[in-house]
Amino acid sequence: MKMNIAVAANRTFEKYLYVMLTSLLENSKDQEICVYLLSADFGQEQADRVHKLLKQYQQEFCFIPIGQEIFPKELPATEKITVETYFRLALPDVLPKELDRVLYLDVDLIINQPIDELYFTDFEGKAFCACRDTTAATAESLQSSPVFEQLRQKEDFVYFNAGVLLMNLDKLRPLVSLGYFIEQALKIKDYLDFYDQDVLNWLFSDDVKIVDVERYNLFARTAFNAGYDYQTVKEQTAIIHYGGVKPWRHEEVRYELERFWWEYAKMTPYYTELLEDIVLTEINTGYMDQLFRSLKKENDELRQIVDRCMQLLKSQGLM
């Protein structure tokens, strides 16, 4: 059976999309796949490059242009979290009617192992399969968000991350449409910290099957903070998520789990360009030099404090 994968991207994220798809295709060589790409600013040239990648792996591709004008400007978005994040809400409307399910994947992921087990998971009657969101930012937001005030009181409430989202299209189509999602989002637009993800959780918190987060949506920063090393993640995790901290941003390179992303980047025609981006940006900004100078200054100040403490202890005969 075929796996139907949906992604959304703009031109700014084309290179990163290419890396993510390469990781997916490398780990799905025994599985038939069709990738549905939603974009508002991809032209035929950009779509053809993605199509060429899929053809190299003998997989199918479908480009679905999306008009940004159908998303009201009142919906919150930023430079880092763009309007494309809302495109997943359109999937029940724009995908072929014969599809009974689709797996939506964010661009900032790496597929580290085959994911067919996730894709063919039994929904058990639920509208979605997703993983618990384990980020500190989300936990902090939930404590203060009026949107989730009532849901927080429920013992079984689990806030899920929408970056890896298996959608039960057969169940969703009779219930929702893009127009409905937008209508609901506008009702709470002033309180959306995580945009369409908040909307999905607000509407479907009790209609989601929660699956193993450490296997199917492990945040790299969370894994690093928990002490996970490269080999542990390599063996145990199928999907690594670089939410927030991006491995392609020079000021945020800080742990070995970013190696996964760069290993697949090396397989793409963008590898040299990606390396130049990160190095030239550093040269132009001097970020690392400033960081090292700041750390050296802090270290010198701490050394002076320790020296004064030692002198004080000696003067009191305590050493």
Side-chain angles (χ1 to χ4, degrees), residues 137-153:
T138 299
E140 182 179 350
S141 171
L142 285 176
Q143 291 305 310
S144 58
S145 173
V147 173
F148 297 101
E149 184 175 359
Q150 292 185 342
L151 291 172
R152 287 198 302 267
Q153 310 307 316

PDB file of all heavy atoms in Angstrom, residues 137-153:
ATOM      1  N   ALA A 137       8.610  25.501  25.886  1.00  0.00           N
ATOM      2  CA  ALA A 137       7.842  26.664  25.437  1.00  0.00           C
ATOM      3  C   ALA A 137       6.349  26.358  25.423  1.00  0.00           C
ATOM      4  O   ALA A 137       5.522  27.196  25.812  1.00  0.00           O
ATOM      5  CB  ALA A 137       8.314  27.100  24.056  1.00  0.00           C
ATOM      6  N   THR A 138       6.009  25.164  24.979  1.00  0.00           N
ATOM      7  CA  THR A 138       4.607  24.780  24.944  1.00  0.00           C
ATOM      8  C   THR A 138       4.043  24.639  26.349  1.00  0.00           C
ATOM      9  O   THR A 138       2.931  25.090  26.640  1.00  0.00           O
ATOM     10  CB  THR A 138       4.438  23.452  24.189  1.00  0.00           C
ATOM     11  OG1 THR A 138       4.899  23.616  22.847  1.00  0.00           O
ATOM     12  CG2 THR A 138       2.985  23.025  24.174  1.00  0.00           C
ATOM     13  N   ALA A 139       4.798  24.014  27.236  1.00  0.00           N
ATOM     14  CA  ALA A 139       4.351  23.838  28.614  1.00  0.00           C
ATOM     15  C   ALA A 139       4.081  25.181  29.273  1.00  0.00           C
ATOM     16  O   ALA A 139       3.074  25.367  29.977  1.00  0.00           O
ATOM     17  CB  ALA A 139       5.395  23.061  29.403  1.00  0.00           C
ATOM     18  N   GLU A 140       4.967  26.140  29.021  1.00  0.00           N
ATOM     19  CA  GLU A 140       4.794  27.484  29.586  1.00  0.00           C
ATOM     20  C   GLU A 140       3.560  28.167  29.013  1.00  0.00           C
ATOM     21  O   GLU A 140       2.790  28.796  29.745  1.00  0.00           O
ATOM     22  CB  GLU A 140       6.041  28.316  29.300  1.00  0.00           C
ATOM     23  CG  GLU A 140       5.996  29.716  29.884  1.00  0.00           C
ATOM     24  CD  GLU A 140       7.263  30.502  29.607  1.00  0.00           C
ATOM     25  OE1 GLU A 140       8.244  29.908  29.124  1.00  0.00           O
ATOM     26  OE2 GLU A 140       7.266  31.726  29.881  1.00  0.00           O
ATOM     27  N   SER A 141       3.364  28.026  27.711  1.00  0.00           N
ATOM     28  CA  SER A 141       2.211  28.645  27.063  1.00  0.00           C
ATOM     29  C   SER A 141       0.907  28.080  27.591  1.00  0.00           C
ATOM     30  O   SER A 141      -0.048  28.821  27.840  1.00  0.00           O
ATOM     31  CB  SER A 141       2.297  28.442  25.548  1.00  0.00           C
ATOM     32  OG  SER A 141       1.106  28.843  24.914  1.00  0.00           O
ATOM     33  N   LEU A 142       0.856  26.764  27.771  1.00  0.00           N
ATOM     34  CA  LEU A 142      -0.379  26.121  28.214  1.00  0.00           C
ATOM     35  C   LEU A 142      -0.814  26.592  29.591  1.00  0.00           C
ATOM     36  O   LEU A 142      -2.008  26.645  29.892  1.00  0.00           O
ATOM     37  CB  LEU A 142      -0.197  24.599  28.224  1.00  0.00           C
ATOM     38  CG  LEU A 142      -0.191  23.902  26.865  1.00  0.00           C
ATOM     39  CD1 LEU A 142       0.090  22.419  27.037  1.00  0.00           C
ATOM     40  CD2 LEU A 142      -1.519  24.107  26.151  1.00  0.00           C
ATOM     41  N   GLN A 143       0.144  26.935  30.437  1.00  0.00           N
ATOM     42  CA  GLN A 143      -0.187  27.353  31.794  1.00  0.00           C
ATOM     43  C   GLN A 143      -0.912  28.691  31.846  1.00  0.00           C
ATOM     44  O   GLN A 143      -1.632  28.979  32.803  1.00  0.00           O
ATOM     45  CB  GLN A 143       1.093  27.420  32.631  1.00  0.00           C
ATOM     46  CG  GLN A 143       1.721  26.074  32.915  1.00  0.00           C
ATOM     47  CD  GLN A 143       0.749  25.101  33.567  1.00  0.00           C
ATOM     48  OE1 GLN A 143       0.081  25.433  34.549  1.00  0.00           O
ATOM     49  NE2 GLN A 143       0.653  23.901  33.020  1.00  0.00           N
ATOM     50  N   SER A 144      -0.714  29.514  30.807  1.00  0.00           N
ATOM     51  CA  SER A 144      -1.300  30.849  30.838  1.00  0.00           C
ATOM     52  C   SER A 144      -2.345  31.096  29.751  1.00  0.00           C
ATOM     53  O   SER A 144      -3.078  32.086  29.812  1.00  0.00           O
ATOM     54  CB  SER A 144      -0.188  31.900  30.703  1.00  0.00           C
ATOM     55  OG  SER A 144       0.543  31.702  29.496  1.00  0.00           O
ATOM     56  N   SER A 145      -2.436  30.216  28.777  1.00  0.00           N
ATOM     57  CA  SER A 145      -3.330  30.448  27.646  1.00  0.00           C
ATOM     58  C   SER A 145      -4.798  30.305  28.044  1.00  0.00           C
ATOM     59  O   SER A 145      -5.223  29.249  28.527  1.00  0.00           O
ATOM     60  CB  SER A 145      -3.017  29.460  26.513  1.00  0.00           C
ATOM     61  OG  SER A 145      -3.978  29.579  25.476  1.00  0.00           O
ATOM     62  N   PRO A 146      -5.605  31.347  27.825  1.00  0.00           N
ATOM     63  CA  PRO A 146      -7.038  31.237  28.122  1.00  0.00           C
ATOM     64  C   PRO A 146      -7.755  30.258  27.200  1.00  0.00           C
ATOM     65  O   PRO A 146      -8.821  29.749  27.535  1.00  0.00           O
ATOM     66  CB  PRO A 146      -7.549  32.669  27.926  1.00  0.00           C
ATOM     67  CG  PRO A 146      -6.559  33.319  27.021  1.00  0.00           C
ATOM     68  CD  PRO A 146      -5.238  32.689  27.335  1.00  0.00           C
ATOM     69  N   VAL A 147      -7.160  29.986  26.040  1.00  0.00           N
ATOM     70  CA  VAL A 147      -7.762  29.044  25.100  1.00  0.00           C
ATOM     71  C   VAL A 147      -7.890  27.661  25.724  1.00  0.00           C
ATOM     72  O   VAL A 147      -8.871  26.935  25.495  1.00  0.00           O
ATOM     73  CB  VAL A 147      -6.925  28.965  23.804  1.00  0.00           C
ATOM     74  CG1 VAL A 147      -7.450  27.870  22.893  1.00  0.00           C
ATOM     75  CG2 VAL A 147      -6.940  30.307  23.090  1.00  0.00           C
ATOM     76  N   PHE A 148      -6.912  27.296  26.544  1.00  0.00           N
ATOM     77  CA  PHE A 148      -6.878  25.937  27.096  1.00  0.00           C
ATOM     78  C   PHE A 148      -7.237  25.894  28.575  1.00  0.00           C
ATOM     79  O   PHE A 148      -6.955  24.914  29.262  1.00  0.00           O
ATOM     80  CB  PHE A 148      -5.495  25.327  26.861  1.00  0.00           C
ATOM     81  CG  PHE A 148      -5.149  25.173  25.408  1.00  0.00           C
ATOM     82  CD1 PHE A 148      -4.313  26.081  24.776  1.00  0.00           C
ATOM     83  CD2 PHE A 148      -5.699  24.149  24.650  1.00  0.00           C
ATOM     84  CE1 PHE A 148      -4.008  25.956  23.432  1.00  0.00           C
ATOM     85  CE2 PHE A 148      -5.407  24.019  23.303  1.00  0.00           C
ATOM     86  CZ  PHE A 148      -4.562  24.928  22.688  1.00  0.00           C
ATOM     87  N   GLU A 149      -7.877  26.951  29.053  1.00  0.00           N
ATOM     88  CA  GLU A 149      -8.203  27.027  30.478  1.00  0.00           C
ATOM     89  C   GLU A 149      -9.070  25.857  30.925  1.00  0.00           C
ATOM     90  O   GLU A 149      -8.807  25.216  31.949  1.00  0.00           O
ATOM     91  CB  GLU A 149      -8.905  28.355  30.783  1.00  0.00           C
ATOM     92  CG  GLU A 149      -9.192  28.559  32.258  1.00  0.00           C
ATOM     93  CD  GLU A 149      -9.769  29.934  32.543  1.00  0.00           C
ATOM     94  OE1 GLU A 149      -9.923  30.734  31.591  1.00  0.00           O
ATOM     95  OE2 GLU A 149     -10.045  30.205  33.721  1.00  0.00           O
ATOM     96  N   GLN A 150     -10.109  25.550  30.174  1.00  0.00           N
ATOM     97  CA  GLN A 150     -10.992  24.449  30.548  1.00  0.00           C
ATOM     98  C   GLN A 150     -10.337  23.096  30.286  1.00  0.00           C
ATOM     99  O   GLN A 150     -10.460  22.166  31.096  1.00  0.00           O
ATOM    100  CB  GLN A 150     -12.315  24.551  29.785  1.00  0.00           C
ATOM    101  CG  GLN A 150     -13.167  25.739  30.207  1.00  0.00           C
ATOM    102  CD  GLN A 150     -14.522  25.732  29.519  1.00  0.00           C
ATOM    103  OE1 GLN A 150     -14.720  25.052  28.508  1.00  0.00           O
ATOM    104  NE2 GLN A 150     -15.464  26.499  30.045  1.00  0.00           N
ATOM    105  N   LEU A 151      -9.618  22.986  29.163  1.00  0.00           N
ATOM    106  CA  LEU A 151      -8.989  21.716  28.830  1.00  0.00           C
ATOM    107  C   LEU A 151      -7.923  21.327  29.856  1.00  0.00           C
ATOM    108  O   LEU A 151      -7.699  20.141  30.108  1.00  0.00           O
ATOM    109  CB  LEU A 151      -8.367  21.778  27.436  1.00  0.00           C
ATOM    110  CG  LEU A 151      -9.363  21.852  26.274  1.00  0.00           C
ATOM    111  CD1 LEU A 151      -8.634  22.118  24.960  1.00  0.00           C
ATOM    112  CD2 LEU A 151     -10.163  20.560  26.179  1.00  0.00           C
ATOM    113  N   ARG A 152      -7.265  22.330  30.447  1.00  0.00           N
ATOM    114  CA  ARG A 152      -6.235  22.043  31.451  1.00  0.00           C
ATOM    115  C   ARG A 152      -6.806  21.309  32.660  1.00  0.00           C
ATOM    116  O   ARG A 152      -6.072  20.608  33.369  1.00  0.00           O
ATOM    117  CB  ARG A 152      -5.568  23.342  31.923  1.00  0.00           C
ATOM    118  CG  ARG A 152      -4.632  23.978  30.923  1.00  0.00           C
ATOM    119  CD  ARG A 152      -3.713  24.981  31.615  1.00  0.00           C
ATOM    120  NE  ARG A 152      -4.438  26.030  32.298  1.00  0.00           N
ATOM    121  CZ  ARG A 152      -4.747  27.214  31.762  1.00  0.00           C
ATOM    122  NH1 ARG A 152      -4.374  27.479  30.519  1.00  0.00           N
ATOM    123  NH2 ARG A 152      -5.398  28.129  32.454  1.00  0.00           N
ATOM    124  N   GLN A 153      -8.081  21.462  32.889  1.00  0.00           N
ATOM    125  CA  GLN A 153      -8.705  20.827  34.050  1.00  0.00           C
ATOM    126  C   GLN A 153      -8.946  19.331  33.843  1.00  0.00           C
ATOM    127  O   GLN A 153      -9.187  18.605  34.808  1.00  0.00           O
ATOM    128  CB  GLN A 153     -10.042  21.512  34.363  1.00  0.00           C
ATOM    129  CG  GLN A 153      -9.972  23.030  34.450  1.00  0.00           C
ATOM    130  CD  GLN A 153      -8.909  23.523  35.398  1.00  0.00           C
ATOM    131  OE1 GLN A 153      -8.763  23.009  36.503  1.00  0.00           O
ATOM    132  NE2 GLN A 153      -8.158  24.544  34.973  1.00  0.00           N
TER     133      GLN A 153
END
